[in-house]
Amino acid sequence: MDAQSFLFSVFCFLFYFLSGEPQVVEGTRLSWTSSPFGFKPKMLFAFGDSYADTGNTKIAATRSWHFPYGITFPGKPSGRFSDGFVSTDFVAGYLGMKTPIPYRWRKELSGRVKYGLNFAYGGTGVFDTLVAEPNMTTQIDFLQQLINDSVYTKRVLRTSVAFVSLAGNDYSYYLETNGSFTAFPGFIQSVVDQLTVNMKRIHDLGVRKIGVMSLIPLGCTPQNTAASSFQRCNETENDLVMLHNNLLLQAVNTLNQQTNSTLFFIIDLHNAFSTVFNGTEIHQGSPTFENPFEPCCFGVTEGFFCGSVDENGEKKYTLCSNPKTKLFWDGNHPTSEGWRAIYSTPAFQNTLKQFID
């Protein structure tokens, strides 16, 4: 069986058609998770932003609840920032676990809480941003409250793992609020410091292993390549990304030294994205993208975005005929096929296995 078929075999689809409910992906256990010597997680918690959010962000506050988001899966908007699946779905699938439900649906779907929860909210960061949604500290407060309410116990949490997504919203907010370039390195250090505090706090609450994703080459997202007609990356921004990732690596190493463990690790999305950007065929049948910098869905002019409509309801975006041919769905987020390509790379698979080592 080739890797493409193997990956898709881990997903079966459970559709909820109750009003407004997000769609849920269920995974089956992959062969390498059945080792009697490995740790077998029973719950997955997700924290962070739109790369992980599967439906927490308010319907009125985000484009992810509006057409054409969700056209590939589940066929309508589900709060995911993609045409289909996002990173949390793939992490859960690789671990042979059910996708954790969004925190906002914990009461309506209480029977699914035993598989973990997704606390991620699109547009957020470790600090407050322009999006009026819970930052990562508040997201961890939600887990703390559930422990206080005896929804989870520390004994149960020892069977859990956490996926932490930080896609760069803190840095976008810094630039949008006229942060100076000379002070940028110091701000990056403060973001990594707070992220480190957050990871340690998640561990102290009882979660056994924490994987935090590295920043992708943000200078290569469509938002930043649009100025060159989607031909060139912004290397200045990519240099700042490398500073973040180097500081994060140091922080994770320090956390492991302090706990005398390897319970903290980096999910290497940076190298995974770079592999796809460079057009490297990961394996026979793996997707390649003619222009990985050009998105499927994009605003017709500056000020409009994927899903934008004017006061007359006329759409102000272009939409490609087949999202599977594109790495990026919109200005910042991969397509479902893009996520599949990224998560098929050795860089991702080799780091993800640390969840069960």
Side-chain angles (χ1 to χ4, degrees):
M1 179 185 294
D2 65 28
Q4 179 176 356
S5 299
F6 187 59
L7 176 58
F8 277 110
S9 71
V10 306
F11 292 110
C12 63
F13 306 129
L14 178 63
F15 292 87
Y16 286 91
F17 288 106
L18 300 176
S19 175
E21 284 196 1
Q23 310 305 308
V24 181
V25 182
E26 298 200 58
T28 58
R29 187 179 297 279
L30 296 182
S31 60
W32 51 261
T33 68
S34 61
S35 168
F37 305 106
F39 167 60
K40 300 178 181 180
K42 296 182 179 179
M43 292 188 294
L44 173 64
F45 295 104
F47 300 89
D49 47 38
S50 56
Y51 274 21
D53 187 0
T54 55
N56 274 317
T57 308
K58 297 182 183 71
I59 293 176
T62 178
R63 298 188 306 277
S64 65
W65 282 106
H66 300 280
F67 184 84
Y69 287 81
I71 59 171
T72 300
F73 173 83
K76 64 179 182 179
S78 67
R80 288 171 168 86
F81 289 76
S82 178
D83 64 305
F85 301 114
V86 296
S87 62
T88 307
D89 297 311
F90 283 93
V91 170
Y94 267 95
L95 294 176
M97 300 168 65
K98 297 180 179 180
T99 297
I101 62 170
Y103 171 75
R104 66 178 292 195
W105 299 105
R106 67 194 181 283
K107 294 180 180 179
E108 290 82 355
L109 298 172
S110 58
R112 297 292 303 279
V113 172
K114 62 184 178 183
Y115 301 115
L117 281 171
N118 188 335
F119 297 99
Y121 284 77
T124 64
V126 296
F127 302 126
D128 288 339
T129 63
L130 292 175
V131 175
E133 298 285 7
N135 65 26
M136 196 179 295
T137 296
T138 304
Q139 293 171 27
I140 300 170
D141 288 342
F142 293 155
L143 176 57
Q144 175 73 72
Q145 187 60 52
L146 292 171
I147 295 170
N148 294 345
D149 294 340
S150 300
V151 175
Y152 298 115
T153 65
K154 283 208 171 186
R155 179 174 175 274
V156 168
L157 289 177
R158 284 199 291 269
T159 66
S160 70
V161 294
F163 166 55
V164 179
S165 169
L166 187 75
N169 293 316
D170 292 289
Y171 301 133
S172 297
Y173 178 70
Y174 178 84
L175 294 173
E176 289 168 4
T177 53
N178 299 317
S180 72
F181 185 79
T182 55
F184 213 148
F187 181 69
I188 292 174
Q189 181 69 69
S190 68
V191 168
V192 173
D193 287 346
Q194 183 59 50
L195 183 57
T196 305
V197 170
N198 292 344
M199 288 189 289
K200 186 176 186 305
R201 185 177 171 209
I202 293 169
H203 176 260
D204 289 344
L205 288 175
V207 176
R208 176 160 175 168
K209 290 193 174 185
I210 295 96
V212 58
M213 75 176 196
S214 58
L215 274 184
I216 72 167
L218 294 175
C220 298
T221 61
Q223 178 175 296
N224 287 306
T225 61
S228 63
S229 299
F230 309 112
Q231 298 299 312
R232 294 187 304 277
C233 299
N234 182 329
E235 295 303 335
T236 299
E237 186 154 352
N238 284 344
D239 287 341
L240 293 169
V241 165
M242 290 306 299
L243 174 59
H244 169 99
N245 287 341
N246 288 334
L247 291 172
L248 181 60
L249 177 60
Q250 294 173 22
V252 166
N253 288 338
T254 299
L255 283 172
N256 284 327
Q257 291 170 3
Q258 291 173 345
T259 56
N260 193 28
S261 70
T262 56
L263 300 178
F264 302 88
F265 63 94
I266 293 174
I267 299 174
D268 194 1
L269 284 190
H270 186 276
N271 282 333
F273 266 86
S274 296
T275 298
V276 178
F277 282 146
N278 292 332
T280 304
E281 186 175 40
I282 302 155
H283 49 69
Q284 186 176 4
S286 64
T288 56
F289 306 97
E290 183 176 346
N291 182 356
F293 307 130
E294 185 176 18
C296 176
C297 186
F298 209 68
V300 294
T301 58
E302 187 175 354
F304 293 107
F305 309 93
C306 179
S308 291
V309 294
D310 63 16
E311 61 274 9
N312 298 317
E314 181 181 351
K315 71 175 186 179
K316 292 295 181 179
Y317 60 90
T318 60
L319 183 66
C320 69
S321 59
N322 183 6
K324 287 188 175 182
T325 65
K326 300 293 184 180
L327 170 60
F328 278 98
W329 167 245
D330 60 16
N332 293 292
H333 306 96
T335 59
S336 188
E337 187 75 358
W339 277 120
R340 188 181 71 80
I342 292 156
Y343 277 66
S344 298
T345 61
F348 168 74
Q349 294 187 14
N350 291 338
T351 51
L352 185 63
K353 288 180 181 180
Q354 294 179 74
F355 271 129
I356 61 168
D357 284 346

